[in-house]
Amino acid sequence: MARKRYSDEDVLNLLRQIELSLASGSSVATACRSVGVSDATYYNWRKKYGGMGKSQLQELKGLEKENSRLKRIVADLELDKLILKESVDYLKPKV
């Protein structure tokens, strides 16, 4: 079976649909089957996105983007540090 990729907004909409089905009295398995996901996927999504609104999702995306940018900066600085350390070791007078 082909694997589907859902955007974060799609996941929030599917979670809302499942929650509405659960509120109307259906079981988790039938509610998940009605939207086309497994109940394990539902529980994983609920753990990650549970209780999150669209504004919080946008904030989460912004923080993830900033975090990746900062990680790249740290990696570049570490590389510069190693280059400088090697050049200092090379320029030291040998006794």
Side-chain angles (χ1 to χ4, degrees), residues 25-87:
S26 64
S27 69
V28 173
T30 57
C32 293
R33 204 174 314 126
S34 69
V35 297
V37 297
S38 69
D39 47 342
T41 302
Y42 163 70
Y43 288 120
N44 286 333
W45 285 351
R46 194 177 74 174
K47 184 169 63 172
K48 184 174 182 182
Y49 300 106
M52 191 179 292
K54 288 189 178 189
S55 63
Q56 292 171 329
L57 180 64
Q58 289 173 349
E59 184 179 344
L60 176 67
K61 281 184 179 180
L63 290 173
E64 287 174 348
K65 188 175 181 180
E66 182 181 0
N67 191 22
S68 66
R69 184 182 67 85
L70 291 173
K71 283 183 179 181
R72 272 195 312 273
I73 289 172
V74 168
D76 289 342
L77 289 174
E78 282 293 321
L79 183 61
D80 291 345
K81 179 180 155 186
L82 288 173
I83 290 171
L84 288 173
K85 192 173 186 179
E86 285 180 7
S87 64

